[in-house]
């Protein structure tokens, strides 16, 4: 009886883990793999030394620990808000401790000035784990909330009761279910050098604004509170999701090069 | 009749400029500055550096002068949605080598750099938001207070002790030294002494990022014990020029 209870508990925990993560573990891994493809020799060596199991394996760490007491302050860094005109709007999440942009400013400062701050390797690793995840989450279509509504409303999709947020989060794992994250990243790595440079310019606030405009398609396909999602939701959101993964990977690579490629 | 109509914009413009001059940024219009506090000095200096267009806008919003803006933040603290995070922004940390350090405050509502970025985001994107008056005035109040805070040499707390610079009676050392440094000058004397930077020198002050402002404040706070008046004068000067720069950015037609 005890072992049955244990199995049920394990199954429940596993199920919960499956729901963790904005892009799901697949999306975050693809972003990390795409970033790794952009790294210079110095940055690549430093990241490999800090993450011997691979950066992609760490990409969802921030989701798994966001409710730990020690890291609870990072819980608000996974999402951001926008107004009904799709303008990035930080005010809605300020009282909760900030948003993706707040989190990015924080880890960016720590990583740029790790020497003057005397960061230990474990703190450095924490900041990189957060960076990898926050950059991914910022670009996740479902993580820009039109406030005061969010996008967790109950709905039906493919005859199952779910939430719109969950459906959108799972897009990468549906598109790339038959390929590895590294192969998916290779297929997304199509920008020219000048395109990469352009997409990595601007401030974090500019990136957030661009993401909010990309998120708009989500609400064009299924307006707020749609009870039964359009059957072609995945197909219609796939181009935007792929572009979000691509841009996210380039930006993460750009930041890692900035910090470690010297 | 046509003559009067044609001259109306000129009269209005003159009225705005005149209104601005009367304000002199200090809020009360008093000619001398004995007892003028740090906010009053910073705002007077900012006012002297603002464009006519920015002055006109600020005069319309704040007939009592720029220095009246900071105090209005108190009114917002009575409202839950502001009180939930504004007090958390009024701090700053540095490590033992006087480097700005966001880590100790991150889990406790952030610091004045976060607050400054927040207010600046809305005020520099007024085209994207239809802000109700309440929020527009709030962002002004937050901005002015954050500029004052990020140039307050007493504010950076040394981690992990959290100790700050205070005088023997426990008062904020920055304000005490500021009173001593400027107490015997008239407002025009203060402006002559710290408001006379060349265009290049002023651009050097305003070109830096908010993050650099925070770092400068932490570094300069180290000198509060050894050369307090010089450090305080420089910090007040930077605050004034930078506040003017921001208002010119938002309302001076340069954004």
């Amino acid at each position: 009886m005890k072992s049955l209870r244990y199995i049920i508990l394990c199954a429940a925990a596993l199920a919960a883990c499956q729901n963790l993560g904005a892009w799901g573990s697949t999306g975050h891994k693809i972003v990390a793999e795409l970033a790794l493809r952009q790294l210079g020799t110095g940055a690549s060596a430093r990241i490999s030394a800090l993450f011997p199991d691979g950066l992609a394996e760490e990409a969802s760490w921030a989701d798994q620990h966001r409710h730990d007491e020690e890291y609870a302050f990072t819980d608000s860094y996974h999402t951001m808000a926008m107004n009904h005109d799709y303008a990035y709007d930080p005010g809605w999440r300020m009282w909760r401790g900030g948003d993706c942009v707040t989190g990015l400013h924080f880890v960016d400062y720590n990583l740029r000035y790790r020497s003057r701050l005397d960061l230990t390797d474990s703190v450095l690793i924490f900041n990189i784990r957060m960076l990898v995840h926050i950059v991914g989450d910022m670009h996740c279509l479902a993580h820009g909330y039109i406030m005061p509504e969010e996008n967790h409303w109950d709905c039906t999709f493919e005859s199952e009761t779910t939430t719109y947020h969950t459906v959108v989060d799972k897009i990468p794992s549906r598109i790339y279910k038959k390929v590895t994250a590294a192969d998916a990243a290779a297929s997304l790595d199509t920008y020219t050098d000048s395109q990469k440079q352009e997409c990595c310019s601007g401030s974090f606030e500019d990136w957030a604004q661009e993401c909010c405009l990309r998120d708009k398609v989500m609400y064009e396909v299924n307006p707020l509170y749609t009870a039964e999602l359009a059957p072609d939701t995945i197909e219609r959101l796939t181009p935007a999701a792929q572009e979000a993964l691509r841009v996210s990977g380039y930006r993460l690579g750009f930041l890692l090069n900035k910090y470690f490629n010297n | 009749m046509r003559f009067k109509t044609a001259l109306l914009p000129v009269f209005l413009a003159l009225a705005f400029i005149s209104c601005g001059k009367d304000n002199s940024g200090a809020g009360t219009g008093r000619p001398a500055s004995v007892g003028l506090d740090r906010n009053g000095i910073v705002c007077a200096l900012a006012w002297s550096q603002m464009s006519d267009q920015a002055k006109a806008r600020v005069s319309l919003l704040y007939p009592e002068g720029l220095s009246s803006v900071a105090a209005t933040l108190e009114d917002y603290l009575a409202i839950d949605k502001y009180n939930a995070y504004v007090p958390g922004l009024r701090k700053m940390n540095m490590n033992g080598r006087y480097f700005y350090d966001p880590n100790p405050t991150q889990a406790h509502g952030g610091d004045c750099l976060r607050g400054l970025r927040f207010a600046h985001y809305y005020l520099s994107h007024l085209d994207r938001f239809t802000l109700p008056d309440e929020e527009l005035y709030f962002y002004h109040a937050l901005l002015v207070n954050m500029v004052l805070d990020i140039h307050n040499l007493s504010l950076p707390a040394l981690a992990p002790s959290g100790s700050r610079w205070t005088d023997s009676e426990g008062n904020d050392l920055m304000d005490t030294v500021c009173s001593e440094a400027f107490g015997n000058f008239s407002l025009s004397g203060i402006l002559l002494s710290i408001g006379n930077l060349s265009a290049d020198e002023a651009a050097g002050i305003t070109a830096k990022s908010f993050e650099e402002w925070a770092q400068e404040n932490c570094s300069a706070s180290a000198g509060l014990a050894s050369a307090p008046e010089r450090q305080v004068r420089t910090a007040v000067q930077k605050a004034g020029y930078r506040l003017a720069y921001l208002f010119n950015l938002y309302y001076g037609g340069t954004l």
Side-chain angles (χ1 to χ4, degrees), chain A residues 77 88-89 91 110 112, chain B residues 97 100 103 106 121-122 211:
Chain A
Y77 300 163
Y88 163 61
D89 195 349
N110 281 336
R112 273 190 293 129
Chain B
R97 291 186 289 145
Y100 165 69
N103 288 281
Q106 194 68 12
Y121 177 78
Y122 283 103
E211 193 179 274

Side-chain angles (χ1 to χ4, degrees), chain B:
Chain B
M1 188 67 182
R2 268 184 299 172
F3 176 70
K4 279 183 183 172
T5 309
L7 279 181
L8 189 59
V10 179
F11 286 137
L12 279 174
L14 286 173
F16 283 142
I17 293 164
S18 160
C19 173
K21 279 182 178 163
D22 287 341
N23 276 335
S24 63
T28 58
R30 57 192 158 193
S33 68
V34 177
L36 199 62
D37 63 7
R38 189 162 57 91
N39 168 53
I41 297 169
V42 167
C43 287
L45 176 56
W47 185 262
S48 73
Q49 302 301 319
M50 279 162 58
S51 69
D52 289 345
Q53 200 173 343
K55 280 180 180 174
R57 179 71 176 139
V58 171
S59 295
L60 274 179
L61 293 166
Y62 301 97
E64 291 180 21
L66 186 59
S67 67
S68 68
V69 177
T72 61
L73 192 64
E74 281 298 315
D75 300 333
Y76 288 95
L77 296 181
I79 303 170
D80 286 347
K81 73 171 179 176
Y82 301 111
N83 194 41
Y85 64 88
V86 171
L89 301 171
R90 309 215 62 179
K91 56 188 186 298
M92 182 186 239
N93 262 79
M94 60 184 173
N95 67 13
R97 291 186 289 145
Y98 299 98
F99 286 128
Y100 165 69
D101 186 355
N103 288 281
T105 56
Q106 194 68 12
H108 307 287
D111 59 19
C112 56
L113 175 58
R114 186 191 293 187
L116 184 57
R117 280 184 178 137
F118 180 63
H120 174 70
Y121 177 78
Y122 283 103
L123 293 172
S124 57
H125 292 104
L126 290 172
D127 55 324
R128 291 184 191 166
F129 300 95
T130 311
L131 295 179
D133 281 353
E134 176 196 302
E135 288 188 28
L136 181 66
Y137 282 94
F138 166 70
Y139 291 126
H140 288 150
L142 185 62
L143 180 92
V144 174
N145 277 281
M146 293 296 105
V147 169
L148 288 168
D149 282 357
I150 210 167
H151 292 90
N152 180 351
L153 301 177
S154 297
L155 190 62
L158 270 171
S161 66
S163 60
R164 289 173 50 180
W165 292 113
T166 53
D167 65 15
S168 57
E169 293 173 359
N171 299 314
D172 191 305
L173 189 56
M174 175 82 177
D175 288 329
T176 305
V177 176
C178 191
S179 298
E180 290 167 0
F182 295 107
N184 294 323
F185 289 86
S186 65
L187 183 56
S188 56
I190 292 172
L191 296 182
L192 268 177
S193 83
I194 60 173
N196 55 356
L197 293 181
S198 69
D200 281 351
E201 288 170 327
I205 284 179
T206 56
K208 294 182 175 174
S209 67
F210 292 162
E211 193 179 274
E212 288 172 307
W213 298 7
Q215 182 52 57
E216 278 181 359
N217 195 51
C218 292
S219 303
S221 76
L224 198 51
S226 55
E229 287 203 10
R230 185 168 59 83
Q231 298 291 353
V232 166
R233 288 169 68 87
T234 305
V236 166
Q237 184 182 49
K238 286 178 177 174
Y241 272 91
R242 286 167 176 169
L243 187 58
Y245 164 76
L246 291 174
F247 273 101
N248 285 339
L249 198 64
Y250 308 142
Y251 299 119
T254 54
L255 193 64

Side-chain angles (χ1 to χ4, degrees), chain A residues 4-18:
Chain A
L4 178 64
R5 199 175 297 163
Y6 178 75
I7 291 167
I8 291 170
L9 276 173
C10 286
L14 269 175
C17 285
Q18 293 298 310

